[in-house]
Each structure stands twice: as C-alpha cells, then as structure tokens.
Amino acid sequence: MKFKFLLSFLLGSTLAASAQNPDSVYLRKIFDEELVNGQPYQNLQYLCKQIGPRLSGSANAQKAVDWTKKLMQQYGFDRVFLQEVMVPHWVRGEKEQAKIVSGNQQVSVSVVALGGSVATPKEGLKAEVIEVQGIQELKTLGEKAIKGKIVFYNRPFDPRFIETGAAYGAASDQRFRGPAEAAKYGAIGVIVRSMTEMIDDYPHTGATAYEEGGNKIPAAAISTKGANLLSLMLKQQKGLQFYLKQNCQTLPDVLSYNVVGEMKGTENPNEFITVGGHLDSWDLAEGAHDDGTGVMQSVEVLRIFKALGYRPKHSIRAVLFMNEENGHKGGLKYAELAQKNNEKHLAAIETDEGGFTPRGFSFSGIQSNVLQGMIKNWKPLLEPYEVERLTKGGAGTDIEPLKETRPSITLIGFRPDSQRYFDIHHTAKDVFENVNKRELELGAASIAALIYLIDQHGLTF
C-alpha cells in the first residue's frame, strides 16, 4: 500500500509539474509512446535475423535497402525514396589462418582480415615478426629493421579515457594507416592488436586504407589474447616468425542506395532536420549495435511523430546511410544531393555508438552562447529522462560532409553509455541478443525529444 501511494504521489507530482510547460508535456508523450508502443527492437530483430550481415556491395546490403524502404512506406511517412550511390565491394573469402611459429612449435591465434586488405599468397605468408607500439616507432626503426618482416602493431587502448570512443580514436590510426605506412619501409605484412580494452579471443575487423600507387600488403587484426601471447613470446625469443593466410579481394564497385524517409514540414518544408545511422555493417556478425540500433532508432523517430499526429514545422528525415564502414560514400552522396537540391539543413543527428543507455548529445559547429542557451532551457526538460548531457564534441562520419556544403548546420552526435560498445564493435559478438530492448527504446525517444525541441524552437537563444 505504501509503495502504491508513493508511486501515485510521484506520478501526480511529475504530471503536475509537466502541465506547467507545454514542452514537458510533449516530451512525456514522446517517451510514453515509445516505452509502451515502441517498435525498434522488433524491427532490429528482423534486420539481424532475417537479413544479417550487410557489408557494402553484398546481396544482404541490397536486401536491407529493399526491406527498410518497404518498412518506412508501411509506416506511411510523407515520402520514402532512395539515393543512388556507388560503393566498394570487398569480400573476405575463406576463414583466415594464423600461427605463431617458434622452431617446430606452432601456436594458432585468432585473426580476421582488415576491410580493404589484399590477400596473402595462396600458400600463406610466413616471416619474422617485429612488434611496434605505433607508426612513430615504425618510422624510428626504419627500413633496415622492418624490411622483409611482418609488423605487429600492439598499442593498446588507453584506459584513462572515460569516454571509450576517445581511446578508440587514439589507437585506431595503427589499423587504418598502419599497413600503408609499414609498406613504405619494406614490410611484407601487418597484424594489428584489436581495437578494444576487452581481453578475449574475438578479433575486431575494421577498415584499412592503402595509399594510391603505394605497395599493398596483407593486413589482419589479431585478438587481444593473441596479441598478448605474441608479445610475451617475442620478449622470450628473438627471430620469432608469424604465419598468415587470408583470401580477401576487392571486386568492382556496386550500385547501392541511401534509404530516406521524410515528414514534410508545415512552415519550412525546405529546411531539414536529419537523423541517421548506417545501414551497412561488417560481415562477421549481424551488425546489431553497429549500426542496426542507430538505423532502427532513426526510423523510430519518425514513427513516434506519426503515431502522435505531430506535424513538424521543418521537414524531418530519417536517413539510412550506405557504406559508412569502408568508404563513407553514402554520407558524401547525401551532402552532394543536399547541395544540388539547394536544401537548407538546420541540424543533423547521427546515432552510431550502439543502442546502450542514452546519456546525452554532443554538438559540433555550434556557438558557445547557443550551447549555453540550450543547456539553460532544455537541460531541465531532458533531466527526467537522464539524457541531459549537452556538450561540445564530435558528431558522426556520415553527417560530417554536410558541413562542407552547409557551413551553418549544427551537427549532433547521440551519446549513449560507451563502456560496453568496444567489447563487441566489429566482432562476431555484434548480434541481436546483445541489445537491450529498453535501452534501445530510451535512445529512440531521447533523439525524438531533441528533434522536437529543435523543430519547435530552432537553434537560436
């Protein structure tokens, strides 16, 4: 009885306070609709289980385009359309093999080819391995130490970063640029410590980039357990060798699409607020958190507004970008078409950090006085939903090109809790079962709440 009385009292107090502010009332409606009738979880289940991995250029990527277009049409959005975009088509091939070779002893370790990597010779590649902590150490050692060897980049995540995305950013240059840099010094292959603080046997893939006209050498990620073992053995024995075999290849570019759903603005139909995630994923798993959650949250924002009968002042788009993982062609095409069609973009939000508990948003290209006004006026409205962190910071890869053609745009990154994301990012563990339904729904409602506030009040304070 005491609990029921307390609950009734708290709900009554909340509703009474909300009634004093129309924005509070509407934000409550947004969260109520999502938490009672939300559909991103069931949509994500279909995307993951019925379609699965969606690497650019693959048959599954096209299935995802067809299905998400149909889904948004079924929701009855004002407009649903595709944007043509040519994307790279890289395939992994047969499962990779790797061994640490010490005399007659061979120890198998878990590796995966980096996206965009070339294959090894058919019989594999075996050579002495040399460990470095990063590109700078590689340059210091020079060609004499590197030529003819396999370079092992082993710089770990820096655990001092509270926001784990910062640790990822600090370590990932050795994956993205490391193979191309090692090739300059005569290396014949590269293995890179997986981009995670988790110590396990799941290697993390991710894109690598060769320089045009440069030598292309095979590159793979090694699990953190494998990396620790290799590093230990290198300390114990000089001249240790490493064997790598992978069968990946790059095929001709393929026609694909961004998928766009739109609610037309009633007052400013040619001024847009965009929310998006990327529809493509790596090929090792289902692309659940990266970025199925972001895709389904983006669609869900429009579904929430449709369900509530909300007619926005500005046009609101959900954009499912293609090819974020290994080319960024979808984001570039969206910005190109926005310029071509002379569209004014007020704001763009990207959700590509997993479907974990929402914490807030970071803003790029925003004046300090505007951010302070936002904090003063909107933070109290967002606090009841624990998504009130409004800070300057990065936004997202797919929306970044909009800044080139639309300098006045405000770019926004959705910031969920980051502590678990890189445990599964780009691995075989990125599956539907690792997504929490309520966390996913809270994120969708949080994004819808911010878009509502921007639509109602703009970004001038």
Side-chain angles (χ1 to χ4, degrees):
M1 290 295 293
K2 287 183 179 179
F3 173 75
K4 289 182 178 180
F5 174 78
L6 178 61
L7 180 61
S8 177
F9 173 77
L10 289 172
L11 286 173
S13 300
T14 300
L15 291 173
S18 297
Q20 299 172 13
N21 186 312
D23 290 332
S24 291
V25 172
Y26 212 87
L27 261 58
R28 182 70 261 178
K29 288 182 179 179
I30 287 172
F31 276 85
D32 286 352
E33 166 60 29
E34 181 58 18
L35 296 176
V36 175
N37 301 313
Q39 296 180 22
Y41 192 69
Q42 68 191 53
N43 288 335
L44 180 65
Q45 183 176 32
Y46 188 95
L47 182 68
C48 290
K49 298 302 180 184
Q50 301 303 314
I51 297 177
R54 305 171 298 280
L55 190 58
S56 292
S58 68
N60 276 6
Q62 183 59 45
K63 289 178 183 177
V65 166
D66 295 338
W67 176 71
T68 50
K69 179 187 178 185
K70 182 179 178 181
L71 177 69
M72 290 197 280
Q73 288 173 332
Q74 289 173 341
Y75 281 140
F77 301 155
D78 295 335
R79 185 184 177 206
V80 179
F81 59 98
L82 302 180
Q83 296 178 328
E84 291 187 355
V85 54
M86 295 300 293
V87 300
H89 186 195
W90 178 85
V91 293
R92 184 174 302 279
E94 296 176 12
K95 183 176 174 57
E96 303 86 346
Q97 299 176 40
K99 299 173 185 177
I100 303 170
V101 182
S102 174
N104 294 326
Q105 181 187 14
Q106 296 187 354
V107 182
S108 294
V109 288
S110 297
V111 301
V112 291
L114 295 182
S117 176
V118 295
T120 62
K122 288 185 178 181
E123 68 276 11
L125 179 71
K126 186 170 75 169
E128 185 179 340
V129 60
I130 182 169
E131 178 179 346
V132 298
Q133 292 301 302
I135 293 172
Q136 187 55 52
E137 185 179 354
L138 177 89
K139 294 178 179 179
T140 301
L141 289 171
E143 184 175 347
K144 186 176 180 180
I146 301 299
K147 189 173 182 179
K149 296 177 183 176
I150 294 175
V151 170
F152 168 38
Y153 288 102
N154 193 35
R155 185 168 79 255
F157 264 30
D158 187 338
R160 294 172 296 178
F161 286 108
I162 303 303
E163 162 55 52
T164 60
Y168 177 77
S172 60
D173 66 321
Q174 59 192 338
R175 186 200 74 205
F176 189 71
R177 292 175 39 232
E181 292 294 329
K184 294 178 183 178
Y185 297 93
I188 61 171
V190 162
I191 49 175
V192 184
R193 183 186 184 91
S194 285
M195 300 290 109
T196 180
E197 193 173 324
M198 174 72 76
I199 305 300
D200 62 15
D201 221 15
Y202 288 86
H204 295 229
T205 193
T208 194
Y210 298 114
E211 293 187 2
E212 192 165 343
N215 187 26
K216 298 180 180 181
I217 59 176
I222 184 172
S223 72
T224 48
K225 272 192 174 181
N228 287 351
L229 175 62
L230 177 56
S231 183
L232 177 63
M233 292 180 69
L234 282 168
K235 290 179 175 63
Q236 296 172 341
Q237 179 183 335
K238 290 184 178 180
L240 201 68
Q241 292 187 312
F242 195 86
Y243 171 81
L244 174 66
K245 183 179 180 182
Q246 56 190 39
N247 305 279
C248 41
Q249 60 179 316
T250 298
L251 302 174
D253 287 0
V254 173
L255 176 63
S256 192
Y257 307 88
N258 294 330
V259 188
V260 185
E262 182 177 297
M263 295 183 72
K264 188 66 77 175
T266 56
E267 297 180 14
N268 303 293
N270 199 41
E271 294 185 8
F272 296 89
I273 303 170
T274 288
V275 57
H278 63 86
L279 189 54
D280 62 305
S281 77
W282 283 111
D283 56 322
L284 299 179
E286 298 165 358
H289 277 289
D290 187 22
D291 185 27
T293 54
V295 165
M296 293 297 96
Q297 285 173 334
S298 300
V299 173
E300 187 69 3
V301 167
L302 269 63
R303 190 207 65 81
I304 291 170
F305 289 145
K306 181 79 175 177
L308 292 175
Y310 181 66
R311 297 306 303 170
K313 297 179 180 180
H314 308 80
S315 293
I316 301 174
R317 281 180 178 165
V319 182
L320 316 185
F321 297 97
M322 183 56 69
N323 185 229
E324 189 273 347
E325 292 293 7
N326 62 335
H328 312 152
K329 297 296 180 64
L332 291 167
K333 177 58 70 172
Y334 185 72
E336 175 191 319
L337 292 176
Q339 182 180 33
K340 179 180 177 181
N341 297 327
N342 197 30
E343 297 170 349
K344 179 179 178 182
H345 282 254
L346 182 63
I349 302 174
E350 186 161 332
T351 165
D352 184 21
E353 295 190 9
F356 301 102
T357 302
R359 299 298 188 205
F361 301 89
S362 59
F363 298 80
S364 174
I366 191 170
Q367 298 296 321
S368 295
N369 64 308
V370 175
L371 182 59
Q372 290 306 312
M374 193 181 298
I375 292 171
K376 178 182 177 182
N377 292 280
W378 294 355
K379 182 177 179 179
L381 298 171
L382 297 170
E383 278 180 337
Y385 310 103
E386 300 181 354
V387 68
E388 73 277 7
R389 295 182 189 172
L390 307 175
T391 62
K392 279 194 174 183
T397 300
D398 280 321
I399 61 175
E400 190 66 33
L402 284 167
K403 197 70 179 176
E404 299 294 321
T405 59
R406 296 291 179 266
S408 63
I409 191 173
T410 296
L411 303 182
I412 305 168
F414 170 60
R415 299 296 181 210
D417 184 274
S418 71
Q419 303 310 315
R420 292 170 286 159
Y421 186 46
F422 292 101
D423 294 353
I424 65 172
H425 179 255
H426 293 183
T427 74
K429 293 189 289 184
D430 191 9
V431 295
F432 174 75
E433 288 78 5
N434 285 327
V435 177
N436 178 276
K437 179 177 182 290
R438 185 169 176 84
E439 289 179 328
L440 179 65
E441 292 171 346
L442 285 168
S446 298
I447 297 167
L450 181 65
I451 289 177
Y452 164 81
L453 292 172
I454 294 173
D455 183 53
Q456 286 292 307
H457 304 289
L459 287 166
T460 55
F461 292 89

